[in-house]
Amino acid sequence: MDDLIRRSARELADLLQSGAVSAREVAVAHLDRIAEVDERVHAFLHVDRAHTLTQADDIDARRRAGEQMGPLAGVPLALKDVLAMRGQPTTCGSKMLEGWRPPYNATVVQRLLDNDIVILGKTNMDEFAMGSSTEHSAYGPTHNPWDLTRIPGGSGGGSAAALAAFEAPLAIGTDTGGSIRQPAAVTGTVGVKPTYGAVSRYGLVALASSLDQPGPCARTVEDTAMLHMAIAGHDPKDSTSLDMPWPDMVAAAQRRDLAGVRVGLVRELGGEGFQAGVRQRFDEAVALLTSLGADVVEVSCPSFDYALAAYYLILPSECSSNLAKFDGMRYGLRVGDDGDHSVEQVMGLTRAAGFGPEVTRRIMLGTYALSSGYYDAYYGSAQKVRTLIQRDFDAAFATCDVLISPTSPTTAFPLGSKLDDPLSMYLQDVATIPVNLAGNAGMSLPIGLAPEDGLPVGLQIIAPIKGDARLYEVGGALEAALHAAWGHGILAEAPAL
Ligand code: GLN
Protein backbone atom coordinates (compact mmCIF):
# COMPACT_ATOMS: atom_id res chain seq x y z
CA MET A 1 0.00 0.00 0.00
CA ASP A 2 3.08 2.24 0.16
CA ASP A 3 2.39 2.82 -3.50
CA LEU A 4 -1.07 4.33 -2.92
CA ILE A 5 0.15 7.19 -0.73
CA ARG A 6 2.46 8.47 -3.48
CA ARG A 7 -0.29 8.69 -6.09
CA SER A 8 -1.86 11.94 -7.18
CA ALA A 9 -5.54 12.53 -6.49
CA ARG A 10 -6.17 12.12 -10.24
CA GLU A 11 -4.45 8.71 -10.27
CA LEU A 12 -6.32 7.59 -7.16
CA ALA A 13 -9.60 8.75 -8.69
CA ASP A 14 -8.90 6.67 -11.82
CA LEU A 15 -8.00 3.59 -9.74
CA LEU A 16 -11.15 4.02 -7.66
CA GLN A 17 -13.35 4.50 -10.69
CA SER A 18 -12.01 1.40 -12.44
CA GLY A 19 -12.54 -0.64 -9.29
CA ALA A 20 -8.82 -1.48 -8.98
CA VAL A 21 -8.89 -0.21 -5.39
CA SER A 22 -11.61 0.58 -2.87
CA ALA A 23 -12.09 3.81 -0.95
CA ARG A 24 -11.42 1.79 2.21
CA GLU A 25 -8.03 0.57 0.90
CA VAL A 26 -7.04 4.11 -0.04
CA ALA A 27 -8.19 5.47 3.33
CA VAL A 28 -6.38 2.72 5.26
CA ALA A 29 -3.14 3.38 3.35
CA HIS A 30 -3.27 7.05 4.34
CA LEU A 31 -4.38 6.44 7.93
CA ASP A 32 -1.49 3.99 8.30
CA ARG A 33 0.90 6.55 6.91
CA ILE A 34 -0.39 9.11 9.42
CA ALA A 35 0.09 6.57 12.22
CA GLU A 36 3.64 5.96 10.97
CA VAL A 37 4.94 9.50 10.50
CA ASP A 38 2.69 12.03 12.18
CA GLU A 39 4.29 11.74 15.58
CA ARG A 40 7.29 13.41 13.95
CA VAL A 41 5.49 15.74 11.51
CA HIS A 42 2.47 16.69 13.66
CA ALA A 43 0.38 17.77 10.68
CA PHE A 44 -2.84 16.54 12.29
CA LEU A 45 -4.60 17.70 15.45
CA HIS A 46 -7.37 15.16 15.19
CA VAL A 47 -7.83 11.88 13.32
CA ASP A 48 -10.96 9.78 13.80
CA ARG A 49 -10.11 6.50 12.09
CA ALA A 50 -13.52 4.92 12.63
CA HIS A 51 -15.33 7.97 11.25
CA THR A 52 -13.10 8.05 8.16
CA LEU A 53 -13.55 4.33 7.47
CA THR A 54 -17.33 4.58 7.85
CA GLN A 55 -17.36 7.29 5.19
CA ALA A 56 -15.10 5.22 2.91
CA ASP A 57 -17.24 2.08 3.33
CA ASP A 58 -20.38 4.02 2.51
CA ILE A 59 -18.76 5.31 -0.70
CA ASP A 60 -17.67 1.78 -1.67
CA ALA A 61 -21.17 0.42 -1.03
CA ARG A 62 -22.80 3.09 -3.17
CA ARG A 63 -20.27 2.61 -5.96
CA ARG A 64 -20.91 -1.14 -5.92
CA ALA A 65 -24.64 -0.40 -6.16
CA GLY A 66 -23.96 1.46 -9.39
CA GLU A 67 -24.39 5.02 -8.15
CA GLN A 68 -22.87 7.78 -10.31
CA MET A 69 -20.08 9.32 -8.21
CA GLY A 70 -18.21 12.63 -8.46
CA PRO A 71 -14.71 12.70 -10.00
CA LEU A 72 -12.94 12.71 -6.60
CA ALA A 73 -15.17 10.13 -4.88
CA GLY A 74 -13.12 8.08 -2.43
CA VAL A 75 -10.02 10.31 -2.53
CA PRO A 76 -8.81 11.33 0.97
CA LEU A 77 -8.31 14.88 2.19
CA ALA A 78 -6.81 16.73 5.17
CA LEU A 79 -8.99 19.56 6.52
CA LYS A 80 -7.61 22.69 8.18
CA ASP A 81 -8.98 22.87 11.71
CA VAL A 82 -10.55 26.28 11.10
CA LEU A 83 -13.56 24.85 9.25
CA ALA A 84 -16.56 23.54 11.16
CA MET A 85 -17.27 19.85 10.74
CA ARG A 86 -20.31 18.46 12.47
CA GLY A 87 -19.50 16.50 15.62
CA GLN A 88 -15.72 16.74 15.11
CA PRO A 89 -13.33 18.90 17.15
CA THR A 90 -12.74 22.34 15.59
CA THR A 91 -10.10 24.12 17.63
CA CYS A 92 -8.51 26.66 15.25
CA GLY A 93 -5.25 25.71 16.94
CA SER A 94 -6.45 27.44 20.13
CA LYS A 95 -7.11 26.37 23.70
CA MET A 96 -10.09 28.70 23.51
CA LEU A 97 -12.08 26.22 21.42
CA GLU A 98 -10.86 23.03 23.07
CA GLY A 99 -13.77 20.64 23.42
CA TRP A 100 -16.04 22.51 21.00
CA ARG A 101 -17.77 20.26 18.49
CA PRO A 102 -19.76 22.23 15.93
CA PRO A 103 -23.37 21.20 15.40
CA TYR A 104 -23.14 21.97 11.66
CA ASN A 105 -20.89 21.66 8.61
CA ALA A 106 -19.13 24.55 6.91
CA THR A 107 -20.29 24.82 3.30
CA VAL A 108 -16.82 23.72 2.14
CA VAL A 109 -17.09 20.61 4.32
CA GLN A 110 -20.60 19.89 3.06
CA ARG A 111 -19.36 20.15 -0.54
CA LEU A 112 -16.49 17.77 0.20
CA LEU A 113 -18.96 15.27 1.66
CA ASP A 114 -21.39 15.77 -1.24
CA ASN A 115 -18.47 15.01 -3.59
CA ASP A 116 -17.67 11.87 -1.57
CA ILE A 117 -14.20 13.10 -0.70
CA VAL A 118 -13.00 11.15 2.36
CA ILE A 119 -12.01 13.39 5.28
CA LEU A 120 -8.98 12.00 7.15
CA GLY A 121 -8.88 14.55 9.94
CA LYS A 122 -8.25 18.12 11.02
CA THR A 123 -4.86 19.75 10.48
CA ASN A 124 -2.69 21.93 12.67
CA MET A 125 -2.49 25.68 12.20
CA ASP A 126 -1.35 28.88 13.86
CA GLU A 127 -3.89 29.91 16.48
CA PHE A 128 -6.93 31.42 14.71
CA ALA A 129 -4.80 31.45 11.52
CA MET A 130 -2.43 34.16 12.75
CA GLY A 131 1.13 33.34 11.77
CA SER A 132 3.49 32.11 9.09
CA SER A 133 5.07 29.10 10.77
CA THR A 134 2.37 27.06 12.62
CA GLU A 135 4.43 27.71 15.77
CA HIS A 136 1.56 29.76 17.20
CA SER A 137 -0.59 26.64 17.50
CA ALA A 138 -1.55 25.97 21.11
CA TYR A 139 -0.94 22.28 20.38
CA GLY A 140 2.72 22.53 19.36
CA PRO A 141 4.26 23.21 15.96
CA THR A 142 4.09 21.18 12.76
CA HIS A 143 7.46 20.11 11.33
CA ASN A 144 8.43 20.52 7.68
CA PRO A 145 8.72 17.03 6.11
CA TRP A 146 11.76 18.24 4.09
CA ASP A 147 13.64 18.98 7.32
CA LEU A 148 11.93 18.30 10.63
CA THR A 149 13.86 21.13 12.32
CA ARG A 150 12.20 23.68 10.04
CA ILE A 151 8.81 25.37 9.83
CA PRO A 152 6.15 24.16 7.35
CA GLY A 153 4.85 27.70 6.82
CA GLY A 154 1.64 29.06 8.24
CA SER A 155 -0.97 29.44 9.14
CA GLY A 156 -1.91 26.30 7.20
CA GLY A 157 1.33 24.43 7.88
CA GLY A 158 -0.53 21.28 8.90
CA SER A 159 -2.35 20.96 5.58
CA ALA A 160 0.80 21.62 3.53
CA ALA A 161 2.92 19.23 5.64
CA ALA A 162 0.27 16.50 5.31
CA LEU A 163 0.64 16.72 1.52
CA ALA A 164 4.43 16.81 1.55
CA ALA A 165 4.61 13.87 4.00
CA PHE A 166 2.27 11.81 1.77
CA GLU A 167 -0.32 11.65 4.54
CA ALA A 168 -3.00 13.00 2.18
CA PRO A 169 -3.16 13.79 -1.55
CA LEU A 170 -5.56 16.72 -1.06
CA ALA A 171 -6.00 19.37 1.62
CA ILE A 172 -8.07 22.44 2.37
CA GLY A 173 -6.46 25.66 3.50
CA THR A 174 -7.61 29.20 4.13
CA ASP A 175 -5.75 32.29 2.99
CA THR A 176 -6.16 35.69 4.61
CA GLY A 177 -2.63 36.97 3.98
CA GLY A 178 -0.85 33.98 2.46
CA SER A 179 -1.75 31.00 4.63
CA ILE A 180 -2.34 28.70 1.66
CA ARG A 181 0.41 29.98 -0.64
CA GLN A 182 3.35 30.43 1.75
CA PRO A 183 3.03 26.93 3.31
CA ALA A 184 2.77 25.53 -0.23
CA ALA A 185 5.96 27.37 -1.19
CA VAL A 186 8.06 26.11 1.72
CA THR A 187 6.85 22.49 1.49
CA GLY A 188 7.12 21.99 -2.29
CA THR A 189 3.35 21.69 -2.77
CA VAL A 190 0.67 23.60 -4.70
CA GLY A 191 -1.87 25.94 -3.11
CA VAL A 192 -4.48 28.29 -4.52
CA LYS A 193 -6.23 31.26 -2.99
CA PRO A 194 -9.33 31.68 -5.16
CA THR A 195 -10.90 35.04 -5.93
CA TYR A 196 -12.53 36.46 -2.80
CA GLY A 197 -16.10 35.10 -2.78
CA ALA A 198 -15.41 32.11 -5.05
CA VAL A 199 -15.47 29.61 -2.17
CA SER A 200 -17.98 30.04 0.65
CA ARG A 201 -16.79 31.33 4.04
CA TYR A 202 -19.85 29.91 5.83
CA GLY A 203 -18.59 27.78 8.71
CA LEU A 204 -15.04 29.10 8.44
CA VAL A 205 -14.09 30.57 11.82
CA ALA A 206 -13.45 34.16 10.76
CA LEU A 207 -10.07 35.85 11.11
CA ALA A 208 -10.54 38.94 8.91
CA SER A 209 -13.80 38.62 7.03
CA SER A 210 -12.92 40.97 4.17
CA LEU A 211 -9.77 38.95 3.40
CA ASP A 212 -10.49 35.30 4.34
CA GLN A 213 -10.81 32.77 1.54
CA PRO A 214 -10.74 28.95 1.68
CA GLY A 215 -8.94 27.19 -1.14
CA PRO A 216 -7.53 23.93 -2.51
CA CYS A 217 -4.08 22.44 -1.75
CA ALA A 218 -2.45 19.41 -3.39
CA ARG A 219 0.82 18.09 -4.82
CA THR A 220 0.00 18.88 -8.48
CA VAL A 221 -1.70 21.72 -10.32
CA GLU A 222 -4.29 19.36 -11.82
CA ASP A 223 -5.25 17.92 -8.41
CA THR A 224 -5.62 21.44 -7.06
CA ALA A 225 -7.91 22.26 -10.00
CA MET A 226 -10.05 19.18 -9.33
CA LEU A 227 -10.50 20.17 -5.70
CA HIS A 228 -11.16 23.79 -6.70
CA MET A 229 -14.09 22.62 -8.85
CA ALA A 230 -15.49 20.60 -5.95
CA ILE A 231 -15.56 23.48 -3.45
CA ALA A 232 -16.21 26.65 -5.49
CA GLY A 233 -19.63 28.04 -6.27
CA HIS A 234 -22.38 30.26 -4.99
CA ASP A 235 -23.62 29.87 -1.43
CA PRO A 236 -26.62 31.86 -0.21
CA LYS A 237 -25.30 31.44 3.36
CA ASP A 238 -22.30 33.71 2.58
CA SER A 239 -23.33 37.26 1.70
CA THR A 240 -20.07 37.87 -0.18
CA SER A 241 -20.30 34.67 -2.22
CA LEU A 242 -20.05 35.24 -5.99
CA ASP A 243 -23.00 34.02 -8.04
CA MET A 244 -21.46 33.21 -11.40
CA PRO A 245 -20.57 30.18 -13.51
CA TRP A 246 -16.87 29.25 -13.28
CA PRO A 247 -14.89 27.89 -16.22
CA ASP A 248 -13.49 24.36 -16.01
CA MET A 249 -10.26 24.72 -13.99
CA VAL A 250 -9.25 21.11 -14.75
CA ALA A 251 -9.41 21.79 -18.49
CA ALA A 252 -7.42 25.00 -17.93
CA ALA A 253 -4.71 23.00 -16.15
CA GLN A 254 -4.16 20.92 -19.32
CA ARG A 255 -2.70 23.88 -21.22
CA ARG A 256 0.91 23.26 -22.25
CA ASP A 257 2.06 26.19 -24.40
CA LEU A 258 1.81 29.79 -23.35
CA ALA A 259 1.93 31.45 -26.76
CA GLY A 260 0.52 34.94 -26.52
CA VAL A 261 0.16 34.92 -22.73
CA ARG A 262 1.35 38.21 -21.25
CA VAL A 263 3.13 37.67 -17.93
CA GLY A 264 3.99 40.65 -15.72
CA LEU A 265 6.95 40.45 -13.39
CA VAL A 266 6.17 42.65 -10.39
CA ARG A 267 9.20 44.85 -9.75
CA GLU A 268 8.28 45.49 -6.09
CA LEU A 269 8.10 41.77 -5.21
CA GLY A 270 11.33 39.86 -5.31
CA GLY A 271 14.27 42.21 -4.90
CA GLU A 272 15.83 43.24 -1.63
CA GLY A 273 15.20 40.87 1.27
CA PHE A 274 14.66 37.84 -0.96
CA GLN A 275 17.07 34.91 -0.50
CA ALA A 276 19.59 34.51 -3.36
CA GLY A 277 18.52 30.93 -4.13
CA VAL A 278 14.87 31.97 -4.26
CA ARG A 279 15.72 34.66 -6.80
CA GLN A 280 17.88 32.28 -8.82
CA ARG A 281 15.12 29.67 -9.16
CA PHE A 282 12.62 32.42 -9.91
CA ASP A 283 14.80 33.81 -12.74
CA GLU A 284 15.12 30.31 -14.19
CA ALA A 285 11.33 29.87 -14.07
CA VAL A 286 10.92 33.18 -15.90
CA ALA A 287 13.24 31.91 -18.64
CA LEU A 288 11.17 28.72 -18.84
CA LEU A 289 7.93 30.71 -19.17
CA THR A 290 9.51 32.63 -22.03
CA SER A 291 10.56 29.40 -23.72
CA LEU A 292 6.93 28.23 -23.49
CA GLY A 293 5.90 31.24 -25.55
CA ALA A 294 4.90 33.68 -22.82
CA ASP A 295 5.60 37.34 -23.30
CA VAL A 296 7.27 38.39 -20.03
CA VAL A 297 7.46 42.09 -19.17
CA GLU A 298 8.28 44.00 -16.00
CA VAL A 299 5.46 45.94 -14.33
CA SER A 300 5.49 48.30 -11.38
CA CYS A 301 2.94 48.31 -8.56
CA PRO A 302 4.30 51.10 -6.32
CA SER A 303 1.59 50.88 -3.63
CA PHE A 304 2.62 47.29 -2.83
CA ASP A 305 5.37 48.80 -0.68
CA TYR A 306 2.63 49.77 1.80
CA ALA A 307 0.63 46.53 1.62
CA LEU A 308 2.16 44.91 4.68
CA ALA A 309 1.59 47.99 6.85
CA ALA A 310 -2.02 48.31 5.67
CA TYR A 311 -2.66 44.61 6.23
CA TYR A 312 -1.36 44.73 9.80
CA LEU A 313 -3.92 47.44 10.57
CA ILE A 314 -6.88 45.95 8.69
CA LEU A 315 -6.34 42.38 9.90
CA PRO A 316 -6.01 43.20 13.63
CA SER A 317 -8.99 45.57 13.39
CA GLU A 318 -11.22 42.90 11.88
CA CYS A 319 -9.91 40.10 14.09
CA SER A 320 -10.35 42.10 17.31
CA SER A 321 -14.02 42.36 16.37
CA ASN A 322 -14.40 38.76 15.13
CA LEU A 323 -12.74 37.24 18.20
CA ALA A 324 -14.88 39.21 20.66
CA LYS A 325 -17.36 36.32 20.63
CA PHE A 326 -14.88 33.99 22.36
CA ASP A 327 -15.62 35.00 25.91
CA GLY A 328 -16.31 31.70 27.65
CA MET A 329 -20.08 32.07 27.41
CA ARG A 330 -20.90 30.18 24.25
CA TYR A 331 -17.97 28.16 22.91
CA GLY A 332 -15.25 25.94 24.34
CA LEU A 333 -13.18 27.09 27.30
CA ARG A 334 -14.63 28.74 30.44
CA VAL A 335 -12.37 29.77 33.33
CA GLY A 336 -13.37 31.01 36.80
CA ASP A 337 -17.01 29.87 36.72
CA ASP A 338 -16.88 28.86 40.39
CA GLY A 339 -19.40 31.20 41.99
CA ASP A 340 -16.66 33.57 43.18
CA HIS A 341 -16.39 35.56 39.97
CA SER A 342 -18.70 37.92 38.10
CA VAL A 343 -19.61 37.30 34.45
CA GLU A 344 -17.14 39.98 33.37
CA GLN A 345 -14.39 38.39 35.44
CA VAL A 346 -15.11 34.99 33.90
CA MET A 347 -14.86 36.56 30.45
CA GLY A 348 -11.55 38.21 31.31
CA LEU A 349 -10.09 35.09 32.90
CA THR A 350 -11.23 32.92 29.98
CA ARG A 351 -9.72 35.21 27.37
CA ALA A 352 -6.46 35.56 29.29
CA ALA A 353 -6.16 31.78 29.61
CA GLY A 354 -7.51 30.85 26.17
CA PHE A 355 -5.61 33.15 23.80
CA GLY A 356 -1.89 32.81 23.07
CA PRO A 357 0.52 35.76 22.77
CA GLU A 358 0.17 36.39 19.00
CA VAL A 359 -3.63 36.47 19.18
CA THR A 360 -3.50 38.76 22.20
CA ARG A 361 -1.05 41.07 20.40
CA ARG A 362 -3.34 41.41 17.40
CA ILE A 363 -6.51 41.93 19.43
CA MET A 364 -4.76 44.75 21.29
CA LEU A 365 -3.40 46.27 18.05
CA GLY A 366 -6.84 46.12 16.44
CA THR A 367 -8.64 47.55 19.43
CA TYR A 368 -6.18 50.44 19.45
CA ALA A 369 -6.45 51.04 15.70
CA LEU A 370 -10.24 51.19 15.89
CA SER A 371 -10.45 53.38 18.99
CA SER A 372 -11.99 56.82 18.68
CA GLY A 373 -9.46 59.46 17.71
CA TYR A 374 -7.23 56.91 15.98
CA TYR A 375 -9.71 55.28 13.62
CA ASP A 376 -9.16 57.66 10.68
CA ALA A 377 -5.39 57.80 11.11
CA TYR A 378 -4.95 54.02 11.18
CA TYR A 379 -7.88 52.00 9.90
CA GLY A 380 -9.03 54.75 7.53
CA SER A 381 -5.55 55.21 6.02
CA ALA A 382 -5.10 51.49 5.63
CA GLN A 383 -8.36 51.26 3.70
CA LYS A 384 -7.13 54.01 1.37
CA VAL A 385 -3.92 52.07 0.73
CA ARG A 386 -6.10 49.09 -0.08
CA THR A 387 -7.79 51.12 -2.82
CA LEU A 388 -4.39 52.16 -4.22
CA ILE A 389 -3.30 48.51 -4.32
CA GLN A 390 -6.46 47.60 -6.22
CA ARG A 391 -5.68 50.37 -8.73
CA ASP A 392 -2.12 49.09 -9.16
CA PHE A 393 -3.54 45.67 -9.98
CA ASP A 394 -6.05 47.18 -12.42
CA ALA A 395 -3.25 49.02 -14.22
CA ALA A 396 -1.03 45.92 -14.34
CA PHE A 397 -3.84 43.70 -15.64
CA ALA A 398 -4.59 46.22 -18.38
CA THR A 399 -1.40 44.99 -20.08
CA CYS A 400 -0.86 41.54 -18.50
CA ASP A 401 -2.89 38.32 -18.27
CA VAL A 402 -1.15 37.19 -15.08
CA LEU A 403 1.50 38.56 -12.73
CA ILE A 404 4.28 36.56 -11.10
CA SER A 405 6.66 36.83 -8.14
CA PRO A 406 8.43 34.54 -5.72
CA THR A 407 5.76 33.37 -3.22
CA SER A 408 7.89 33.84 -0.15
CA PRO A 409 11.17 35.72 0.41
CA THR A 410 12.91 32.70 1.95
CA THR A 411 12.80 28.94 2.07
CA ALA A 412 11.63 27.22 5.27
CA PHE A 413 13.44 28.78 8.24
CA PRO A 414 14.43 26.90 11.41
CA LEU A 415 11.74 26.39 14.05
CA GLY A 416 12.07 29.01 16.78
CA SER A 417 14.20 31.42 14.74
CA LYS A 418 11.58 34.15 14.28
CA LEU A 419 9.41 33.72 17.36
CA ASP A 420 11.03 36.64 19.19
CA ASP A 421 10.72 38.96 16.22
CA PRO A 422 7.10 39.31 15.05
CA LEU A 423 8.01 41.76 12.30
CA SER A 424 10.39 39.33 10.59
CA MET A 425 7.62 36.73 10.79
CA TYR A 426 5.16 39.19 9.20
CA LEU A 427 7.64 39.88 6.39
CA GLN A 428 7.16 36.30 5.17
CA ASP A 429 3.90 37.48 3.63
CA VAL A 430 5.22 40.55 1.85
CA ALA A 431 4.51 39.02 -1.59
CA THR A 432 1.22 37.30 -0.82
CA ILE A 433 -0.68 40.04 1.04
CA PRO A 434 -1.45 42.40 -1.90
CA VAL A 435 -3.61 39.65 -3.44
CA ASN A 436 -5.77 39.37 -0.30
CA LEU A 437 -6.13 43.14 -0.01
CA ALA A 438 -7.37 43.38 -3.60
CA GLY A 439 -9.47 40.20 -3.56
CA ASN A 440 -7.97 38.55 -6.61
CA ALA A 441 -6.64 35.01 -7.09
CA GLY A 442 -3.18 33.56 -6.46
CA MET A 443 -1.37 30.24 -6.76
CA SER A 444 1.95 28.99 -5.45
CA LEU A 445 3.69 26.10 -7.17
CA PRO A 446 7.15 24.59 -6.64
CA ILE A 447 9.89 25.66 -9.07
CA GLY A 448 12.92 23.90 -7.60
CA LEU A 449 15.22 23.71 -4.61
CA ALA A 450 17.34 26.61 -3.40
CA PRO A 451 21.01 25.75 -4.03
CA GLU A 452 22.16 27.03 -0.61
CA ASP A 453 19.89 24.82 1.52
CA GLY A 454 18.22 22.29 -0.79
CA LEU A 455 14.74 23.43 0.28
CA PRO A 456 11.72 24.10 -1.98
CA VAL A 457 11.09 27.45 -3.63
CA GLY A 458 7.61 28.56 -4.71
CA LEU A 459 6.51 30.80 -7.56
CA GLN A 460 3.38 32.88 -7.17
CA ILE A 461 1.01 33.41 -10.09
CA ILE A 462 -1.56 36.17 -9.64
CA ALA A 463 -4.74 36.44 -11.73
CA PRO A 464 -7.33 39.22 -11.85
CA ILE A 465 -10.58 38.96 -9.90
CA LYS A 466 -12.63 36.07 -11.35
CA GLY A 467 -9.67 35.07 -13.54
CA ASP A 468 -8.83 31.98 -11.46
CA ALA A 469 -8.67 29.72 -14.54
CA ARG A 470 -5.59 31.64 -15.72
CA LEU A 471 -3.69 30.40 -12.65
CA TYR A 472 -4.26 26.85 -13.80
CA GLU A 473 -3.34 27.56 -17.44
CA VAL A 474 -0.01 29.13 -16.57
CA GLY A 475 0.61 26.87 -13.56
CA GLY A 476 -0.24 23.71 -15.51
CA ALA A 477 2.10 24.61 -18.38
CA LEU A 478 4.95 25.63 -16.10
CA GLU A 479 4.61 22.52 -13.94
CA ALA A 480 4.59 20.22 -16.98
CA ALA A 481 7.76 21.86 -18.30
CA LEU A 482 9.47 21.58 -14.91
CA HIS A 483 8.48 17.95 -14.46
CA ALA A 484 9.77 17.16 -17.93
CA ALA A 485 13.10 18.79 -17.04
CA TRP A 486 13.37 17.05 -13.66
CA GLY A 487 11.91 13.72 -14.76
CA HIS A 488 9.54 13.75 -11.77
CA GLY A 489 7.66 15.97 -9.31
CA ILE A 490 9.69 17.89 -6.73
CA LEU A 491 8.64 15.74 -3.78
CA ALA A 492 10.60 12.85 -5.27
CA GLU A 493 13.64 14.80 -4.03
CA ALA A 494 12.41 14.99 -0.42
CA PRO A 495 14.32 12.90 2.10
CA ALA A 496 12.46 9.77 3.28
CA LEU A 497 10.62 10.17 6.56
N1 GLN B 1 0.88 35.06 8.00
C1 GLN B 1 -0.32 35.86 7.83
C2 GLN B 1 -0.76 36.38 9.17
O1 GLN B 1 -0.15 36.06 10.10
C3 GLN B 1 -1.30 35.01 7.14
C4 GLN B 1 -2.56 34.71 7.82
C5 GLN B 1 -3.53 33.92 7.00
O2 GLN B 1 -3.49 33.92 5.78
N2 GLN B 1 -4.45 33.28 7.69
O3 GLN B 1 -1.68 37.12 9.26
Side-chain angles (χ1 to χ4, degrees):
M1 285 303 150
D2 191 42
D3 176 43
L4 284 179
I5 60 167
R6 293 188 179 263
R7 303 275 186 168
S8 68
R10 155 69 74 196
E11 289 168 343
L12 288 174
D14 291 347
L15 290 170
L16 285 156
Q17 245 149 45
S18 71
V21 292
S22 66
R24 172 176 265 267
E25 285 171 314
V26 175
V28 165
H30 287 88
L31 290 165
D32 287 353
R33 175 72 173 173
I34 293 168
E36 182 196 338
V37 301
D38 209 53
E39 214 175 299
R40 283 169 285 148
V41 177
H42 193 39
F44 285 88
L45 291 178
H46 182 72
V47 176
D48 183 342
R49 195 177 173 99
H51 190 271
T52 300
L53 291 179
T54 305
Q55 198 200 346
D57 286 344
D58 171 61
I59 292 163
D60 285 334
R62 285 188 286 118
R63 204 191 293 271
R64 271 198 305 275
E67 192 178 309
Q68 259 320 72
M69 317 289 280
L72 285 171
V75 179
L77 171 139
L79 182 66
K80 189 176 179 183
D81 201 26
V82 68
L83 285 146
M85 181 169 171
R86 188 186 298 128
Q88 296 293 324
T90 301
T91 67
C92 299
S94 181
K95 291 282 174 207
M96 187 58 98
L97 284 179
E98 202 164 29
W100 183 56
R101 290 180 186 249
Y104 70 105
N105 283 328
T107 296
V108 167
V109 173
Q110 194 55 52
R111 293 216 170 154
L112 296 172
L113 296 174
D114 292 346
N115 279 279
D116 291 310
I117 295 169
V118 175
I119 299 178
L120 293 168
K122 309 292 292 285
T123 54
N124 200 11
M125 55 184 282
D126 284 296
E127 185 173 9
F128 288 107
M130 300 180 204
S132 305
S133 68
T134 316
E135 291 168 294
H136 296 310
S137 167
Y139 303 98
T142 297
H143 300 256
N144 192 320
W146 286 81
D147 175 348
L148 296 173
T149 69
R150 297 197 180 236
I151 60 109
S155 63
S159 284
L163 298 169
F166 297 97
E167 294 171 284
L170 296 173
I172 295 287
T174 58
D175 194 313
T176 304
S179 286
I180 288 176
R181 290 162 288 158
Q182 183 258 6
V186 300
T187 57
T189 59
V190 182
V192 168
K193 185 205 94 74
T195 293
Y196 181 78
V199 178
S200 171
R201 289 181 298 111
Y202 177 78
L204 159 66
V205 180
L207 169 54
S209 308
S210 76
L211 304 166
D212 296 341
Q213 185 59 202
C217 312
R219 290 189 291 260
T220 68
V221 171
E222 184 187 36
D223 286 0
T224 316
M226 290 175 84
L227 184 55
H228 193 130
M229 293 308 286
I231 58 174
H234 182 241
D235 178 14
K237 291 178 181 152
D238 173 356
S239 61
T240 58
S241 167
L242 288 166
D243 192 358
M244 59 173 275
W246 290 96
D248 185 344
M249 308 290 167
V250 182
Q254 309 309 322
R255 183 162 178 167
R256 290 296 173 263
D257 82 277
L258 294 175
V261 177
R262 298 164 306 166
V263 175
L265 220 146
V266 185
R267 188 183 305 154
E268 287 75 10
L269 306 177
E272 201 193 326
F274 282 68
Q275 190 178 320
V278 169
R279 284 156 70 171
Q280 185 186 329
R281 292 297 175 235
F282 180 73
D283 291 345
E284 291 165 7
V286 170
L288 197 52
L289 286 168
T290 308
S291 76
L292 292 169
D295 189 3
V296 184
V297 294
E298 193 176 85
V299 294
S300 178
C301 296
S303 304
F304 285 14
D305 288 345
Y306 307 103
L308 197 73
Y311 173 85
Y312 276 99
L313 286 166
I314 292 168
L315 179 134
S317 297
E318 292 192 22
C319 93
S320 68
S321 159
N322 274 328
L323 269 60
K325 61 181 168 286
F326 302 116
D327 57 9
M329 296 298 117
R330 211 183 157 106
Y331 309 96
L333 188 73
R334 179 178 295 175
V335 177
D337 186 10
D338 48 16
D340 292 338
H341 296 96
S342 69
V343 173
E344 266 170 51
Q345 284 170 327
V346 171
M347 289 179 174
L349 289 167
T350 303
R351 286 170 71 81
F355 290 139
E358 182 61 25
V359 172
T360 306
R361 174 162 36 239
R362 296 205 195 184
I363 290 174
M364 291 178 76
L365 273 172
T367 309
Y368 182 75
L370 290 175
S371 57
S372 89
Y374 294 107
Y375 183 95
D376 286 341
Y378 294 127
Y379 188 72
S381 304
Q383 290 290 18
K384 287 176 192 155
V385 170
R386 195 170 184 175
T387 302
L388 295 177
I389 287 167
Q390 281 158 352
R391 284 190 196 150
D392 277 357
F393 272 124
D394 288 346
F397 285 123
T399 57
C400 298
D401 299 305
V402 295
L403 307 177
I404 55 167
S405 75
T407 308
S408 171
T410 69
T411 56
F413 48 88
L415 285 158
S417 63
K418 291 189 194 292
L419 275 177
D420 295 334
D421 185 357
L423 192 59
S424 78
M425 189 79 90
Y426 298 169
L427 281 166
Q428 277 294 305
D429 298 308
V430 67
T432 47
I433 276 172
V435 170
N436 301 83
L437 289 172
N440 44 349
M443 167 189 283
S444 179
L445 78 159
I447 52 167
L449 305 177
E452 60 269 54
D453 54 22
L455 293 168
V457 176
L459 176 133
Q460 173 174 234
I461 306 168
I462 304 173
I465 288 174
K466 302 181 185 175
D468 306 37
R470 293 186 198 173
L471 302 176
Y472 291 103
E473 292 184 41
V474 178
L478 180 58
E479 179 191 69
L482 287 164
H483 286 192
W486 300 334
H488 49 65
I490 198 157
L491 283 157
E493 306 272 338
L497 274 171

